[in-house]
């Protein structure tokens, strides 16, 4: 996309790429050693000076800073790997994550944060020209070779005293993000534009949302949330975002004793209907996504899982307007597996995006770990391939480093590992499809329905009386083996 002032940006891009290439004049990215006498406000160096662009080196490489399975331009099953994956970096985990947990203080002192005083950083973040966090983020994406990102309004810009001030803070950072998107698109991605995979409004951190946002018992909070979403939709569109997301972290309840569940659900539907209307007014072309999660922070969230969310959408006549963003760790928290929720979304035409992560079987919360289980990744990719891909959705790494991983390079290693795992899953799916025996096993299992009477049943045309007559005629059915172990054996051999 050509914009006004592109030539200026190309010039800046050339200068910047020279700086990057020569790696001279690099300010060490920490507050003590920053160029401007202990303040990194004037920052224009590299944040990751020792790390160059991550390249594909193949499965035999021992270099942790290389891709072993993800080869962006390689074609698999008729599409380039990058087009199957459409990877995205989650700004909040990667650049705002501190390693703090309910029991412990932050463990990470990232070069772009001061690690202690969030207000200082917040102020610094709100100053367009000197926003080290956003700058670090785009350098990271460039080096990783990922051209999509996801954000909440409040992770990129802080709250002000009034909504007006807050919106102005957001505008300043969004202007810088837009500039950097164009800049890095030119220098790093040969004209393909960097953009958000999705944007969203953070409707769970601020105390005003303690009873929920769209489902708050306070009408002024409902209104505030609407105003916040309106603005977040606008900036997502401005940045070229491909989707807009709703995650209802506090849309739910702690106790049914003080909750009018019917009223809250009706409010949520009105809120989402208003978002649909505003999307149309804006002319926003992307998908609206809902992200199911059963609980945490509330005891019960209304978008419990894919099936519950689908029922809600149908009840309120919103089905055609939303797709689902399935997060693997949420699926397991709801008592399903990730592939179960992916398939539930897919067969109902709702699979729009994946928040790629995984939980820990021994810890009962949303640990948001990078997915490194190859078997799981293969099943995930099976759903994606059956879905014909995810576009305009993709894979957002809603995943964070463990509290104990504190090196800057760990951020790269984590993403590389997550990307390689899914890439390996895709390669395995190709093997399974080429081999064909799993598909054949499933086909054979249902072949009794590939008959005249089976077809009539599937068309919903056979009544109980007819089936009773058939049963008299057929006698006791022959019931063959399900071949589960054989299916597992075939699956294993593709990994
Ligand atoms: C939290 C959610 C959240 C959404 C975006 O559990 O996964 O990160 O993806 O608000
Ligand atoms: Ni998520
Ligand atoms: Ni989550």
């Amino acid at each position: 996309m050509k914009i006004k002032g592109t030539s200026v940006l190309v010039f800046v891009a050339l200068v910047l790429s020279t700086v990057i290439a020569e790696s001279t004049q690099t300010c060490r990215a920490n507050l003590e050693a920053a160029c401007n006498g202990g303040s990194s406000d004037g920052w224009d160096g590299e944040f990751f000076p020792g790390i160059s662009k991550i390249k594909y080196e193949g499965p035999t490489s021992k270099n942790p800073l290389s891709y072993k399975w993800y080869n962006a331009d390689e074609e698999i099953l008729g599409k380039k790997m990058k087009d199957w994956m459409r990877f995205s970096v989650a700004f909040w985990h990667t650049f705002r994550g501190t390693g703090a947990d309910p029991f412990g203080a932050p463990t990470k002192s990232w070069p772009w944060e001061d690690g202690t005083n969030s207000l200082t950083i917040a102020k610094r973040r709100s100053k367009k020209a000197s926003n080290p966090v956003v700058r670090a983020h785009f350098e990271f994406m460039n080096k990783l070779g990922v051209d999509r990102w996801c954000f909440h309004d409040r992770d990129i810009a802080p709250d002000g005293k009034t909504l007006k001030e807050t919106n102005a803070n957001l505008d300043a950072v969004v202007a810088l993000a837009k500039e950097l998107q164009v800049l890095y698109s030119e220098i790093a991605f040969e004209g393909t534009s960097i953009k958000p995979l999705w944007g969203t409004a953070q409707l769970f951190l601020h105390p005003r949302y303690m009873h929920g946002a769209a489902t708050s018992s306070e009408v002024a909070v409902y209104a505030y949330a609407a105003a916040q979403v309106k603005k977040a939709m606008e900036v997502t569109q401005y940045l070229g975002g491909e989707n807009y997301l709703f995650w209802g972290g506090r849309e739910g309840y702690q106790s049914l004793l003080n909750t009018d569940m019917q009223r809250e659900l009706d409010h949520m539907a009105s809120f989402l209907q208003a978002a649909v209307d505003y999307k149309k007014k804006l002319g926003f072309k992307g998908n609206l996504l809902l992200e199911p999660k059963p609980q945490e922070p509330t005891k019960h969230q209304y978008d419990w899982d894919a099936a519950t969310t689908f029922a809600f959408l149908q009840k309120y006549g919103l089905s055609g307007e939303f797709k689902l963003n399935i997060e693997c760790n949420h699926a397991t928290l709801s008592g399903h597996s990730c592939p179960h929720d992916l398939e539930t979304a897919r067969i109902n035409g709702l699979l729009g995006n994946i928040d790629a992560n995984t939980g820990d079987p021994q810890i009962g919360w949303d640990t948001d770990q990078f997915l490194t289980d190859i078997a799981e990744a293969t099943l995930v990719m099976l759903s994606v391939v059956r879905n014909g891909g995810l576009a305009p959705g993709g894979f957002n790494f809603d995943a964070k480093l463990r509290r104990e991983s504190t090196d800057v390079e760990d951020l790269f290693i984590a993403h590389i590992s997550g990307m390689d795992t899914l890439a390996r899953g895709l390669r395995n799916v190709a093997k399974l499809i080429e081999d064909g025996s799993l598909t054949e096993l499933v086909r054979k299992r249902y072949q009794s329905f590939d008959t005249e009477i089976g077809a009539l049943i599937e068309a919903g045309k056979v009544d109980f009386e007819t089936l009773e007559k058939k049963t008299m005629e057929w006698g006791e059915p022959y019931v063959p083996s399900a071949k589960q172990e054989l299916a597992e054996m075939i699956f294993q051999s593709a990994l």
Side-chain angles (χ1 to χ4, degrees):
M1 185 175 63
K2 283 282 156 213
I3 60 142
K4 251 192 184 169
T6 300
S7 48
V8 176
L9 287 167
V10 171
F11 173 71
V12 179
L14 286 172
V15 173
L16 187 77
S17 56
T18 315
V19 171
I20 290 173
E22 290 176 0
S23 267
T24 52
Q25 271 302 310
T26 294
C27 307
R28 269 304 296 164
N30 62 58
L31 290 178
E32 292 74 39
C35 290
N36 291 342
S39 148
S40 59
D41 274 9
W43 194 297
D44 62 357
E46 271 187 278
F47 291 88
F48 312 104
I51 296 175
S52 39
K53 257 193 119 115
I54 310 299
K55 295 199 187 75
Y56 173 71
E57 292 182 6
T60 56
S61 171
K62 294 273 178 279
N63 175 10
L65 294 173
S66 74
Y67 293 117
K68 283 122 206 120
W69 304 94
Y70 178 62
N71 189 12
D73 288 313
E74 186 181 330
E75 254 194 41
I76 308 248
L77 297 171
K79 244 197 261 264
K80 288 187 173 172
M81 286 187 113
K82 66 178 178 195
D83 297 328
W84 280 116
M85 303 309 194
R86 299 167 55 83
F87 287 127
S88 148
V89 172
F91 184 86
W92 61 99
H93 281 313
T94 304
F95 288 94
R96 306 292 301 145
T98 63
D101 72 9
F103 300 93
T107 55
K108 304 174 208 300
S109 48
W110 296 135
W112 47 89
E113 295 278 12
D114 67 4
T116 52
N117 186 344
S118 58
L119 193 67
T120 316
I121 275 295
K123 279 192 188 146
R124 192 170 340 121
R125 275 194 288 141
S126 71
K127 279 199 268 164
K128 179 180 169 225
S130 58
N131 187 320
V133 196
V134 173
R135 288 182 186 280
H137 166 67
F138 282 100
E139 184 189 328
F140 180 77
M141 288 176 71
N142 176 31
K143 290 190 165 167
L144 206 58
V146 167
D147 54 5
R148 291 181 173 80
W149 60 298
C150 290
F151 69 98
H152 301 82
D153 48 3
R154 299 296 174 262
D155 9 280
I156 59 172
D159 262 312
K161 283 194 202 73
T162 60
L163 182 63
K164 208 169 161 197
E165 198 182 305
T166 305
N167 287 348
N169 287 347
L170 187 56
D171 284 337
V173 177
V174 163
L176 173 66
K178 177 96 168 177
E179 210 175 282
L180 291 170
Q181 282 190 168
V182 175
L183 177 68
Y184 277 109
S185 297
E186 306 262 358
I187 62 173
F189 293 101
E190 293 143 8
T192 49
S193 53
I194 299 178
K195 48 184 144 343
L197 179 63
W198 51 253
T200 189
Q202 190 198 69
L203 301 173
F204 45 90
L205 186 73
H206 196 283
R208 83 172 67 88
Y209 295 123
M210 67 178 173
H211 305 303
T215 62
S216 172
S217 40
E218 292 304 310
V219 71
V221 175
Y222 180 101
Y224 203 108
Q228 197 180 322
V229 167
K230 173 179 175 287
K231 180 71 181 172
M233 288 175 84
E234 288 162 11
V235 303
T236 301
Q237 184 186 36
Y238 176 74
L239 288 169
E242 295 177 290
N243 303 271
Y244 183 85
L245 175 90
F246 295 85
W247 170 61
R250 295 200 188 271
E251 312 295 20
Y253 59 80
Q254 301 294 3
S255 169
L256 275 179
L257 293 175
N258 64 357
T259 301
D260 187 334
M261 189 159 133
Q262 159 115 51
R263 224 167 159 185
E264 290 200 0
L265 285 163
D266 289 351
H267 294 174
M268 194 159 96
S270 304
F271 192 94
L272 293 175
Q273 181 59 60
V276 169
D277 296 344
Y278 196 60
K279 168 188 157 166
K280 290 180 182 157
K281 239 178 244 168
L282 277 178
F284 180 66
K285 295 280 172 281
N287 280 333
L288 297 178
L289 302 167
L290 294 182
E291 182 177 327
K293 185 175 182 182
Q295 71 277 120
E296 193 213 273
T298 56
K299 155 177 143 159
H300 186 109
Q301 271 165 234
Y302 290 132
D303 295 333
W304 183 274
D305 60 1
T308 312
T309 311
F310 183 38
F312 168 87
L313 289 172
Q314 282 178 303
K315 176 178 173 190
Y316 290 101
L318 291 164
S319 305
E321 307 290 355
F322 288 86
K323 299 240 176 205
L324 301 185
N325 177 30
I326 301 298
E327 176 164 322
C328 288
N329 204 161
H330 296 183
T332 49
L333 283 177
S334 71
H336 303 303
S337 65
C338 183
H340 169 91
D341 250 24
L342 290 174
E343 284 296 277
T344 304
R346 183 185 71 78
I347 62 182
N348 290 299
L350 289 173
L351 181 54
N353 199 83
I354 297 178
D355 265 10
N357 64 13
T358 193
D360 184 301
Q362 284 167 269
I363 305 177
W365 68 79
D366 195 11
T367 56
D368 289 337
Q369 287 162 232
F370 282 83
L371 175 66
T372 54
D373 182 315
I374 298 156
E376 175 95 349
T378 305
L379 287 169
V380 167
M381 290 313 300
L382 202 54
S383 283
V384 171
V385 168
R386 285 176 178 157
N387 203 53
L390 292 168
F395 281 96
N396 169 47
F397 285 110
D398 194 350
K400 58 182 178 241
L401 291 183
R402 298 303 80 203
R403 184 165 190 268
E404 302 78 14
S405 300
T406 53
D407 290 346
V408 162
E409 71 158 21
D410 295 335
L411 287 172
F412 280 90
I413 292 170
H415 282 83
I416 291 167
S417 176
M419 289 162 77
D420 265 345
T421 304
L422 286 163
R424 205 165 168 181
L426 176 63
R427 291 178 187 277
N428 293 343
V429 171
K431 278 193 241 165
L432 283 170
I433 290 176
E434 198 188 328
D435 170 71
S437 35
L438 196 56
T439 316
E440 184 54 13
L441 184 149
V442 177
R443 190 197 64 75
K444 270 203 189 138
R445 190 157 182 234
Y446 296 89
Q447 68 187 355
S448 68
F449 279 85
D450 299 337
T451 51
E452 200 182 332
I453 183 82
L456 286 169
I457 290 173
E458 289 184 345
K461 288 190 178 143
V462 187
D463 57 25
F464 275 8
E465 292 90 325
T466 313
L467 292 170
E468 185 184 41
K469 233 169 94 200
K470 276 280 172 200
T471 302
M472 301 286 190
E473 183 190 320
W474 286 340
E476 189 58 32
Y478 164 72
V479 185
S481 167
K483 309 304 278 180
Q484 183 177 329
E485 293 74 12
L486 178 60
E488 285 161 352
M489 185 185 272
I490 296 167
F491 182 71
Q492 285 294 331
S493 66
L495 301 186

PDB file of all heavy atoms in Angstrom, residues 176-195:
ATOM      1  N   LEU A 176       2.916   5.780  16.119  1.00  0.00           N
ATOM      2  CA  LEU A 176       4.274   5.227  16.038  1.00  0.00           C
ATOM      3  C   LEU A 176       4.242   3.801  15.486  1.00  0.00           C
ATOM      4  O   LEU A 176       5.041   3.437  14.620  1.00  0.00           O
ATOM      5  CB  LEU A 176       4.933   5.226  17.432  1.00  0.00           C
ATOM      6  CG  LEU A 176       6.287   4.528  17.497  1.00  0.00           C
ATOM      7  CD1 LEU A 176       7.344   5.273  16.681  1.00  0.00           C
ATOM      8  CD2 LEU A 176       6.756   4.366  18.940  1.00  0.00           C
ATOM      9  N   ALA A 177       3.292   3.006  15.952  1.00  0.00           N
ATOM     10  CA  ALA A 177       3.181   1.621  15.479  1.00  0.00           C
ATOM     11  C   ALA A 177       2.950   1.599  13.975  1.00  0.00           C
ATOM     12  O   ALA A 177       3.557   0.815  13.244  1.00  0.00           O
ATOM     13  CB  ALA A 177       2.056   0.899  16.209  1.00  0.00           C
ATOM     14  N   LYS A 178       2.105   2.484  13.508  1.00  0.00           N
ATOM     15  CA  LYS A 178       1.813   2.551  12.068  1.00  0.00           C
ATOM     16  C   LYS A 178       3.085   2.878  11.292  1.00  0.00           C
ATOM     17  O   LYS A 178       3.394   2.260  10.267  1.00  0.00           O
ATOM     18  CB  LYS A 178       0.745   3.617  11.827  1.00  0.00           C
ATOM     19  CG  LYS A 178       0.394   3.843  10.383  1.00  0.00           C
ATOM     20  CD  LYS A 178      -0.824   3.049  10.007  1.00  0.00           C
ATOM     21  CE  LYS A 178      -1.373   3.466   8.650  1.00  0.00           C
ATOM     22  NZ  LYS A 178      -2.510   2.661   8.247  1.00  0.00           N
ATOM     23  N   GLU A 179       3.813   3.863  11.812  1.00  0.00           N
ATOM     24  CA  GLU A 179       5.060   4.282  11.169  1.00  0.00           C
ATOM     25  C   GLU A 179       6.043   3.102  11.104  1.00  0.00           C
ATOM     26  O   GLU A 179       6.650   2.846  10.072  1.00  0.00           O
ATOM     27  CB  GLU A 179       5.656   5.386  12.031  1.00  0.00           C
ATOM     28  CG  GLU A 179       6.482   6.416  11.312  1.00  0.00           C
ATOM     29  CD  GLU A 179       6.893   7.498  12.323  1.00  0.00           C
ATOM     30  OE1 GLU A 179       6.063   8.366  12.657  1.00  0.00           O
ATOM     31  OE2 GLU A 179       8.034   7.424  12.776  1.00  0.00           O
ATOM     32  N   LEU A 180       6.163   2.391  12.216  1.00  0.00           N
ATOM     33  CA  LEU A 180       7.103   1.274  12.265  1.00  0.00           C
ATOM     34  C   LEU A 180       6.622   0.095  11.412  1.00  0.00           C
ATOM     35  O   LEU A 180       7.424  -0.631  10.828  1.00  0.00           O
ATOM     36  CB  LEU A 180       7.346   0.836  13.712  1.00  0.00           C
ATOM     37  CG  LEU A 180       8.131   1.846  14.553  1.00  0.00           C
ATOM     38  CD1 LEU A 180       8.118   1.464  16.026  1.00  0.00           C
ATOM     39  CD2 LEU A 180       9.571   1.994  14.070  1.00  0.00           C
ATOM     40  N   GLN A 181       5.314  -0.074  11.329  1.00  0.00           N
ATOM     41  CA  GLN A 181       4.777  -1.122  10.450  1.00  0.00           C
ATOM     42  C   GLN A 181       5.217  -0.873   9.013  1.00  0.00           C
ATOM     43  O   GLN A 181       5.679  -1.776   8.322  1.00  0.00           O
ATOM     44  CB  GLN A 181       3.242  -1.145  10.503  1.00  0.00           C
ATOM     45  CG  GLN A 181       2.670  -1.815  11.725  1.00  0.00           C
ATOM     46  CD  GLN A 181       1.159  -2.031  11.642  1.00  0.00           C
ATOM     47  OE1 GLN A 181       0.623  -2.749  12.446  1.00  0.00           O
ATOM     48  NE2 GLN A 181       0.474  -1.431  10.704  1.00  0.00           N
ATOM     49  N   VAL A 182       5.076   0.380   8.587  1.00  0.00           N
ATOM     50  CA  VAL A 182       5.437   0.721   7.210  1.00  0.00           C
ATOM     51  C   VAL A 182       6.948   0.579   7.024  1.00  0.00           C
ATOM     52  O   VAL A 182       7.419  -0.037   6.064  1.00  0.00           O
ATOM     53  CB  VAL A 182       4.978   2.161   6.863  1.00  0.00           C
ATOM     54  CG1 VAL A 182       5.455   2.561   5.484  1.00  0.00           C
ATOM     55  CG2 VAL A 182       3.466   2.263   6.958  1.00  0.00           C
ATOM     56  N   LEU A 183       7.681   1.106   7.984  1.00  0.00           N
ATOM     57  CA  LEU A 183       9.142   1.071   7.905  1.00  0.00           C
ATOM     58  C   LEU A 183       9.657  -0.368   7.790  1.00  0.00           C
ATOM     59  O   LEU A 183      10.401  -0.701   6.880  1.00  0.00           O
ATOM     60  CB  LEU A 183       9.696   1.735   9.176  1.00  0.00           C
ATOM     61  CG  LEU A 183      11.199   1.739   9.351  1.00  0.00           C
ATOM     62  CD1 LEU A 183      11.826   2.634   8.298  1.00  0.00           C
ATOM     63  CD2 LEU A 183      11.555   2.274  10.737  1.00  0.00           C
ATOM     64  N   TYR A 184       9.232  -1.207   8.707  1.00  0.00           N
ATOM     65  CA  TYR A 184       9.733  -2.583   8.690  1.00  0.00           C
ATOM     66  C   TYR A 184       9.153  -3.385   7.526  1.00  0.00           C
ATOM     67  O   TYR A 184       9.781  -4.319   7.054  1.00  0.00           O
ATOM     68  CB  TYR A 184       9.482  -3.272  10.032  1.00  0.00           C
ATOM     69  CG  TYR A 184      10.564  -2.944  11.041  1.00  0.00           C
ATOM     70  CD1 TYR A 184      10.312  -2.134  12.124  1.00  0.00           C
ATOM     71  CD2 TYR A 184      11.858  -3.446  10.874  1.00  0.00           C
ATOM     72  CE1 TYR A 184      11.307  -1.816  13.037  1.00  0.00           C
ATOM     73  CE2 TYR A 184      12.857  -3.137  11.782  1.00  0.00           C
ATOM     74  CZ  TYR A 184      12.583  -2.325  12.861  1.00  0.00           C
ATOM     75  OH  TYR A 184      13.574  -2.023  13.752  1.00  0.00           O
ATOM     76  N   SER A 185       7.954  -3.037   7.063  1.00  0.00           N
ATOM     77  CA  SER A 185       7.421  -3.716   5.877  1.00  0.00           C
ATOM     78  C   SER A 185       8.347  -3.482   4.709  1.00  0.00           C
ATOM     79  O   SER A 185       8.629  -4.378   3.928  1.00  0.00           O
ATOM     80  CB  SER A 185       6.034  -3.174   5.526  1.00  0.00           C
ATOM     81  OG  SER A 185       5.142  -3.430   6.562  1.00  0.00           O
ATOM     82  N   GLU A 186       8.852  -2.250   4.605  1.00  0.00           N
ATOM     83  CA  GLU A 186       9.732  -1.907   3.477  1.00  0.00           C
ATOM     84  C   GLU A 186      11.080  -2.604   3.594  1.00  0.00           C
ATOM     85  O   GLU A 186      11.578  -3.176   2.636  1.00  0.00           O
ATOM     86  CB  GLU A 186       9.985  -0.389   3.426  1.00  0.00           C
ATOM     87  CG  GLU A 186       8.724   0.446   3.413  1.00  0.00           C
ATOM     88  CD  GLU A 186       8.338   0.887   2.013  1.00  0.00           C
ATOM     89  OE1 GLU A 186       9.084   0.560   1.083  1.00  0.00           O
ATOM     90  OE2 GLU A 186       7.290   1.546   1.876  1.00  0.00           O
ATOM     91  N   ILE A 187      11.668  -2.585   4.804  1.00  0.00           N
ATOM     92  CA  ILE A 187      13.031  -3.116   4.883  1.00  0.00           C
ATOM     93  C   ILE A 187      13.076  -4.626   5.072  1.00  0.00           C
ATOM     94  O   ILE A 187      14.062  -5.252   4.776  1.00  0.00           O
ATOM     95  CB  ILE A 187      13.888  -2.451   6.005  1.00  0.00           C
ATOM     96  CG1 ILE A 187      13.295  -2.699   7.389  1.00  0.00           C
ATOM     97  CG2 ILE A 187      14.099  -0.986   5.755  1.00  0.00           C
ATOM     98  CD1 ILE A 187      14.200  -2.195   8.510  1.00  0.00           C
ATOM     99  N   ALA A 188      12.006  -5.192   5.578  1.00  0.00           N
ATOM    100  CA  ALA A 188      12.132  -6.589   5.966  1.00  0.00           C
ATOM    101  C   ALA A 188      11.243  -7.542   5.201  1.00  0.00           C
ATOM    102  O   ALA A 188      11.570  -8.703   5.054  1.00  0.00           O
ATOM    103  CB  ALA A 188      11.831  -6.709   7.449  1.00  0.00           C
ATOM    104  N   PHE A 189      10.133  -7.114   4.731  1.00  0.00           N
ATOM    105  CA  PHE A 189       9.196  -8.089   4.184  1.00  0.00           C
ATOM    106  C   PHE A 189       8.858  -7.827   2.711  1.00  0.00           C
ATOM    107  O   PHE A 189       7.794  -8.182   2.248  1.00  0.00           O
ATOM    108  CB  PHE A 189       7.925  -8.138   5.033  1.00  0.00           C
ATOM    109  CG  PHE A 189       8.182  -8.685   6.417  1.00  0.00           C
ATOM    110  CD1 PHE A 189       8.289  -7.840   7.494  1.00  0.00           C
ATOM    111  CD2 PHE A 189       8.341 -10.043   6.608  1.00  0.00           C
ATOM    112  CE1 PHE A 189       8.537  -8.344   8.766  1.00  0.00           C
ATOM    113  CE2 PHE A 189       8.588 -10.555   7.867  1.00  0.00           C
ATOM    114  CZ  PHE A 189       8.692  -9.706   8.948  1.00  0.00           C
ATOM    115  N   GLU A 190       9.763  -7.196   2.011  1.00  0.00           N
ATOM    116  CA  GLU A 190       9.612  -6.952   0.583  1.00  0.00           C
ATOM    117  C   GLU A 190       8.199  -6.497   0.217  1.00  0.00           C
ATOM    118  O   GLU A 190       7.541  -7.078  -0.637  1.00  0.00           O
ATOM    119  CB  GLU A 190       9.960  -8.220  -0.207  1.00  0.00           C
ATOM    120  CG  GLU A 190      11.431  -8.579  -0.104  1.00  0.00           C
ATOM    121  CD  GLU A 190      11.635 -10.088  -0.034  1.00  0.00           C
ATOM    122  OE1 GLU A 190      10.659 -10.831  -0.217  1.00  0.00           O
ATOM    123  OE2 GLU A 190      12.778 -10.495   0.203  1.00  0.00           O
ATOM    124  N   GLY A 191       7.755  -5.492   0.890  1.00  0.00           N
ATOM    125  CA  GLY A 191       6.470  -4.916   0.485  1.00  0.00           C
ATOM    126  C   GLY A 191       5.258  -5.546   1.140  1.00  0.00           C
ATOM    127  O   GLY A 191       4.226  -4.921   1.208  1.00  0.00           O
ATOM    128  N   THR A 192       5.350  -6.807   1.652  1.00  0.00           N
ATOM    129  CA  THR A 192       4.167  -7.332   2.349  1.00  0.00           C
ATOM    130  C   THR A 192       4.033  -6.526   3.629  1.00  0.00           C
ATOM    131  O   THR A 192       5.021  -6.227   4.291  1.00  0.00           O
ATOM    132  CB  THR A 192       4.293  -8.814   2.761  1.00  0.00           C
ATOM    133  OG1 THR A 192       5.518  -8.996   3.415  1.00  0.00           O
ATOM    134  CG2 THR A 192       4.101  -9.757   1.620  1.00  0.00           C
ATOM    135  N   SER A 193       2.809  -6.177   3.930  1.00  0.00           N
ATOM    136  CA  SER A 193       2.712  -5.235   5.048  1.00  0.00           C
ATOM    137  C   SER A 193       2.555  -5.934   6.390  1.00  0.00           C
ATOM    138  O   SER A 193       1.855  -6.930   6.516  1.00  0.00           O
ATOM    139  CB  SER A 193       1.573  -4.260   4.804  1.00  0.00           C
ATOM    140  OG  SER A 193       0.416  -4.986   4.534  1.00  0.00           O
ATOM    141  N   ILE A 194       3.239  -5.393   7.375  1.00  0.00           N
ATOM    142  CA  ILE A 194       3.094  -5.850   8.748  1.00  0.00           C
ATOM    143  C   ILE A 194       1.782  -5.296   9.272  1.00  0.00           C
ATOM    144  O   ILE A 194       1.476  -4.123   9.056  1.00  0.00           O
ATOM    145  CB  ILE A 194       4.250  -5.300   9.608  1.00  0.00           C
ATOM    146  CG1 ILE A 194       5.570  -5.818   9.068  1.00  0.00           C
ATOM    147  CG2 ILE A 194       4.062  -5.666  11.063  1.00  0.00           C
ATOM    148  CD1 ILE A 194       6.771  -5.290   9.817  1.00  0.00           C
ATOM    149  N   LYS A 195       1.025  -6.126   9.945  1.00  0.00           N
ATOM    150  CA  LYS A 195      -0.241  -5.642  10.486  1.00  0.00           C
ATOM    151  C   LYS A 195      -0.680  -6.478  11.673  1.00  0.00           C
ATOM    152  O   LYS A 195      -0.176  -7.580  11.878  1.00  0.00           O
ATOM    153  CB  LYS A 195      -1.322  -5.655   9.413  1.00  0.00           C
ATOM    154  CG  LYS A 195      -1.402  -6.960   8.618  1.00  0.00           C
ATOM    155  CD  LYS A 195      -2.444  -6.797   7.543  1.00  0.00           C
ATOM    156  CE  LYS A 195      -2.253  -7.424   6.262  1.00  0.00           C
ATOM    157  NZ  LYS A 195      -1.619  -7.959   5.394  1.00  0.00           N
TER     158      LYS A 195
END
